[in-house]
Every structure is written in C-alpha cells, then in structure tokens.
C-alpha cells in the first residue's frame, strides 16, 4: 500500500513518527514523500492536542482525507482524549493508541487484508496500557545525523492548562540500560547529535529512583564523537536534583543548554496554572547554571493571556524576560483544552492574548538582536552537527548556538575552531581558524 505519514507536535511525537515510518517501509509498503499525500491509499496522522489551532488543522486533515477515500489512521495524543472529535470528523478513522507505536504493522496488515478481500469498511482500534517500542527499534530519521531518544512517557504533575498529562498518563521512566543501548546504536549508525526528550526530562527516574543526573553520566560514558541536547525541564522538577544536574552537565558531551519553561513570572498566574514553583527557585536554578557555565544558553516557554492574567501579571513576565535575557522564548497564546481544570476558568477577551503575544515577541526580538551582535567576533570551538540543504555544515557552540560554515571539508562529529563573522535571523555565519 502507498502510505503517507504526517507528524504534529513535540520532539517525542517526531520520534514516534520516525519509528512508524521505518515500520511502514520494513513491512514492504511504499512510504510517500512530503507533498505526495494525494497518491496515498493510507493517511497516518500522528497527532498533537496541545493547541486548539493544531487540533483544528488535524481534524480538517482527518475529514478531508477520509472524504477522498483514503484509509485514515490517527495516532499520537488526540485519540486518548478527543476520540469523539476524531470520529465526528471521520467515523471510519482507525485508531493507534499513543503507547502502541510498535503495533502499527498489525493495524496496516489488517487494513490491507480487508482491502484484498473487499470487505466493507469499519474502523479498527489498537491500544496498549504500557508504552512499547520506543527504544532500540529501526528509525526513518528526518535527519540522519540527529537521533531523538525518548527517555520516559507521561508526567506526575498536573498543570491546570495541560491536556498532555491526560493523554500520556503518569510518569513511566524507561530503563537506563535500554536508553544507553538505544543511543549507543544510534552513534554506531552515524548520529552525532542526540536529543533527550519526554514531557519533562528532569522528572526522569522520579518513579524508579534512578534520576536524570545518573542517566546523563551513563550516556556521557558512551564511546564516540557525539553531543547531547537535554530537553525541556520544569523548575519544580529540576530543584530537587539541581546540584547533581549541574555536575552532570559538566560533561563535554552535554550541550550547555538549559530549557526551563516558566510559563509566567507572576505568582498569582502560576498558582492558577498549578505550576509548583516560585520565581526565586527559577532564579536559583539559572544562577547556578550560569555560575558554572559562562556561555550557557537559556530557553524558556511562556503562555500569554492565561485566565484572569492582568496587565500587571503580564508586565512581571516582560520584566523577567528583560532581566534574564533568554536566547529563545517559545510564546504561546493560552488555548483552553478539554479535560483540563483551566477549561472551566473564565477566559480573557481573545484580543488580549493576541496583543500580549505581539508585545512580548517585540521585546524578545530586541533582546535577541542585541545578543547576536555581541557574538560577532567570538572565537572558539564548535561541534559539527549536520549538513545543510545547501551543502554547508551546521556547527554548534558548546552552548548550542548554531554557526554555519561554508566551503569546508568538515564532517558531522568533528570539532573545529571558528570565528563568528555575521548574524542571520536563525543562525550565525562563521569562518574556520587555523589550528
């Protein structure tokens, strides 16, 4: 069968998509390239339910592909929490549960058999209670140099706006030996950049006692030339492991990148969000990381326009951004999600989140522009991550800043000394220095 697979959402969802693509090809089906959906017999939608806009896009895809006569399979988070919406859009949609990535072959085999026998349509559904097939399985990677390793499934906290916890359940940390073997195999296959992903990386091991710092130390001992990008970590789950975590980041194989979502700098908003941290704890975390790593990159996530957020609340967040100057801010307008506590809260006028998002973007761009200008003339060591579409190489500083080098013979996994010569919107330009 001709199969078209489309993934939405986070890096964990992207990793599941890579696993399912490999399964499609391994089973002898034809995996169609991007833009070839019209040729497909089966459309697989690896869904995300974090934002209303994404949800609506997915429901449109599910409906329109079904109307064109395609067999539609919906995987990912949406089937766990919005099955009725999916079936309203397409009553014949097949369902692959968020934990059942490894069962895609069974689902496709059933679809193919029924097509061969000319049986009447009827939807199929496969779910598993335990997460299966996320590690040590073949991948069809979006980039052959980057391996996305999911280290756990689920979350033990309950932010009032978050639907993902309802979709993925309570925390289940994957065995450290399986994670190490998964990364070891990826490095042997040529991957030079490893992304550790989950709903919250710093929760890893809260259910088993084998915590993230210990896991990072094991990963750092794997032979080979590779670097590790640790994914998003919530302040309230970082704090209990802070000292050990900073020590673990000292490894040469760990990018000095701290992705610490605050969502808001207002304590009253944080309370309504059920975010279990105070801003002095955030300050403690950032101060300890910056004290150890001078060139640390700080990423954060912020939700604007949350229920009852006042102008004063928003201004506190803006002032926090101006003070701590993160290199990247992922800004989201609050989007009410079903099954969450905040779904019952009073929402702001829809124009307010739009304006606040615009205002915060403006502040972030000014900060980013100033930071980029300060980097011009920087000299230091970079790690070669991957080739660009134009044949240049994308390198990264120890703090994950992207530097593109043209006209070199560098290969992924190598190190080089460079000077940053210019700044572009999403990256820097650099030139090689003689060793």
């Amino acid at each position: 069968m001709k199969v078209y697979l489309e993934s939405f959402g986070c890096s964990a969802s992207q990793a599941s998509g890579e696993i399912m693509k490999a399964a499609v090809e391994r089973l002898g089906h034809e995996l169609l390239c991007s833009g070839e959906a019209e040729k497909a017999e089966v459309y697989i939608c690896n869904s995300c339910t974090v934002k209303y806009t994404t949800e609506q896009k997915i429901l449109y895809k599910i409906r329109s592909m079904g109307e064109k006569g395609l067999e539609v399979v919906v995987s990912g988070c949406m089937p766990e929490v919005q099955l009725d919406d999916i079936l309203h859009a397409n009553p014949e949609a097949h369902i692959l549960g968020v934990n059942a990535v490894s069962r895609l072959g069974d689902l496709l085999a059933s679809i193919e058999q029924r097509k061969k026998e000319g049986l009447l349509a009827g939807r199929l559904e496969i779910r598993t209670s335990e997460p299966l097939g996320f590690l040590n399985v073949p991948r069809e990677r979006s980039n052959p140099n980057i391996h996305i390793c999911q280290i756990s499934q689920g979350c033990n906290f309950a932010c009032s706006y978050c639907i993902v916890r309802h979709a993925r359940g309570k925390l289940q940390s994957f065995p450290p030996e399986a994670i190490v073997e998964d990364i070891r195999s990826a490095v042997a296959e040529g991957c030079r950049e490893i992304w550790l992903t989950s709903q919250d990386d710093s929760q890893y091991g809260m259910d088993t006692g084998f915590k993230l710092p210990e896991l990072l130390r094991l990963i750092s001992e794997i032979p080979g030339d590779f670097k590790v990008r640790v994914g998003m970590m919530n302040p309230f789950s970082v704090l209990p492991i802070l000292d050990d975590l900073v020590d673990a980041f000292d490894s040469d194989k760990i990018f000095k990148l701290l992705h610490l979502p605050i969502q808001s700098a207002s304590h009253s908003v944080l309370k309504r969000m059920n975010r279990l941290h105070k801003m002095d704890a955030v300050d403690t975390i950032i101060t300890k990381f910056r004290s150890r790593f001078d060139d640390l990159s700080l990423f954060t996530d912020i939700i604007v326009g949350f229920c009852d957020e006042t102008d004063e609340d928003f201004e506190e967040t803006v002032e926090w951004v101006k003070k701590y100057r993160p290199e990247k801010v992922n800004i989201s307008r609050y989007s009410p999600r079903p099954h969450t506590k905040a779904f019952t809260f009073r929402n702001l006028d829809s124009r307010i989140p739009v304006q606040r998002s615009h205002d915060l973007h403006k502040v972030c761009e000014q900060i980013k522009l100033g930071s980029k200008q300060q980097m011009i003339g920087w000299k230091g060591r970079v790690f070669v991550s991957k080739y660009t579409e134009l044949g240049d190489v994308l390198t990264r500083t120890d703090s994950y800043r992207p530097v593109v080098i043209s006209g070199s013979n560098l290969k992924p996994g190598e190190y080089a000394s460079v000077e940053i010569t210019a700044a572009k919107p999403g990256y820097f330009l650099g030139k090689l220095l003689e060793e």
Side-chain angles (χ1 to χ4, degrees):
M1 295 186 295
K2 295 182 178 181
V3 179
Y4 188 84
L5 189 149
E6 191 169 19
S7 286
F8 297 84
C10 64
S11 54
S13 178
Q14 185 180 335
S16 293
E18 292 179 352
I19 292 168
M20 288 191 286
K21 283 182 176 181
V24 169
E25 294 189 315
R26 189 172 68 253
L27 294 166
H29 303 292
E30 181 181 349
L31 182 65
L32 298 173
C33 299
S34 178
E36 295 184 326
E38 71 281 354
K39 300 178 183 178
E41 298 169 75
V42 179
Y43 171 71
I44 302 174
C45 178
N46 188 27
S47 67
C48 171
T49 184
V50 170
K51 296 180 181 179
Y52 175 78
T53 51
T54 306
E55 166 207 296
Q56 291 301 302
K57 184 186 295 184
I58 288 170
L59 292 175
Y60 169 77
K61 293 264 189 178
I62 293 169
R63 181 184 300 110
S64 61
M65 293 298 181
E67 289 171 350
K68 292 176 182 177
L70 277 68
E71 298 280 354
V72 174
V73 176
V74 186
S75 62
C77 286
M78 277 187 72
E80 307 301 324
V81 286
Q82 292 178 280
L83 181 60
D84 290 345
D85 293 331
I86 292 170
L87 296 182
H88 180 73
N90 184 343
E92 301 300 323
H94 308 296
I95 300 300
L96 187 70
V98 72
N99 287 328
V101 169
S102 63
R103 299 286 304 279
L104 176 62
D106 296 339
L107 188 58
L108 291 178
S110 296
I111 292 172
E112 186 172 38
Q113 185 63 32
R114 285 162 40 151
K115 285 170 71 74
K116 285 179 179 177
E117 295 176 0
L119 297 177
L120 294 175
R123 74 183 193 86
L124 303 167
E125 190 166 320
I126 297 179
R127 299 178 186 270
T128 60
S129 58
E130 297 294 319
L132 302 171
F134 290 90
L135 296 172
N136 297 299
V137 290
R139 310 281 185 112
E140 180 65 37
R141 297 184 179 93
S142 300
N143 188 300
N145 296 307
I146 296 176
H147 177 69
I148 307 172
C149 178
Q150 185 172 340
I151 62 175
S152 66
Q153 180 82 299
C155 174
N156 274 353
F157 296 91
C159 298
S160 65
Y161 55 82
C162 181
I163 191 173
V164 177
R165 185 195 181 286
H166 298 277
R168 295 188 179 247
K170 290 188 176 181
L171 176 69
Q172 296 183 72
S173 299
F174 298 157
E177 59 274 14
I179 293 170
V180 168
E181 184 54 36
D182 184 72
I183 295 172
R184 191 189 302 274
S185 297
V187 172
E189 291 169 9
C191 295
R192 295 297 174 254
E193 190 172 315
I194 308 298
W195 294 2
L196 302 185
T197 189
S198 64
Q199 280 66 72
D200 177 3
D201 277 7
S202 46
Q203 278 187 55
Y204 179 81
M206 284 187 175
D207 54 333
T208 64
F210 192 92
K211 304 291 182 64
L212 180 64
E214 299 168 272
L215 178 65
L216 293 180
R217 281 189 271 272
L218 283 183
I219 293 171
S220 296
E221 292 171 0
I222 298 172
D225 295 322
F226 66 94
K227 297 278 268 189
V228 177
R229 188 187 83 171
V230 180
M232 183 271 287
M233 300 182 291
N234 279 307
F236 44 79
S237 53
V238 167
L239 209 57
I241 59 171
L242 178 57
D243 290 339
D244 285 345
L245 186 62
V246 172
D247 288 343
F249 263 68
D250 218 1
S251 165
D252 188 54
K253 286 185 174 174
I254 309 292
F255 282 118
K256 309 313 180 247
L257 166 66
L258 176 63
H259 185 176
L260 194 74
I262 64 161
Q263 306 301 3
S264 172
S266 163
H267 283 145
S268 60
V269 173
L270 290 173
K271 185 175 181 180
R272 287 194 295 278
M273 289 179 167
N274 200 32
R275 298 281 291 171
L276 305 181
H277 68 266
K278 296 283 198 291
M279 294 312 293
D280 58 350
V282 173
D283 177 78
T284 297
I285 294 167
I286 295 173
T287 299
K288 285 208 172 187
F289 267 92
R290 282 181 168 169
S291 296
R292 181 72 70 89
F293 311 114
D294 294 337
D295 199 31
L296 180 81
S297 285
L298 174 65
F299 290 3
T300 194
D301 301 353
I302 290 173
I303 296 172
V304 296
F306 189 69
C307 312
D308 290 330
E309 181 187 62
T310 65
D311 289 340
E312 291 75 21
D313 292 328
F314 175 66
E315 192 56 36
E316 284 186 68
T317 301
V318 172
E319 290 304 312
W320 184 90
V321 170
K322 290 178 178 178
K323 177 180 178 181
Y324 288 94
R325 304 177 66 82
E327 277 72 22
K328 183 177 180 181
V329 181
N330 300 313
I331 302 170
S332 299
R333 300 171 193 165
Y334 172 62
S335 177
R337 307 308 298 133
H339 308 293
T340 65
K341 185 177 180 181
F343 194 68
T344 63
F345 294 176
R346 184 177 70 88
N347 296 321
L348 300 179
D349 183 300
S350 60
R351 292 169 292 185
I352 295 175
V354 172
Q355 184 60 50
R356 288 179 182 168
S357 173
H358 174 77
D359 292 345
L360 186 54
H361 269 293
K362 203 170 174 182
V363 170
C364 293
E365 286 305 309
Q366 290 172 344
I367 290 170
K368 190 185 295 183
L369 182 63
S371 298
K372 280 183 173 292
Q373 292 303 315
Q374 290 176 7
M375 285 294 293
I376 295 175
W378 177 91
K379 298 177 182 178
R381 188 183 73 157
V382 294
F383 178 80
V384 183
S385 172
K386 61 181 181 180
Y387 297 107
T388 70
E389 292 179 358
L390 298 177
D392 301 325
V393 291
L394 174 66
T395 71
R396 299 231 180 233
T397 68
D398 282 347
S399 55
Y400 205 64
R401 291 183 176 91
V403 183
V404 173
I405 309 292
S406 299
S408 77
N409 295 317
L410 294 173
K411 296 179 177 59
E414 295 181 343
Y415 286 92
S417 294
V418 305
E419 177 181 352
I420 290 177
T421 58
K424 296 293 184 180
Y427 57 92
F428 296 98
L429 294 177
K431 67 177 183 180
L432 287 174
L433 298 175
E434 292 185 11
E435 297 288 346

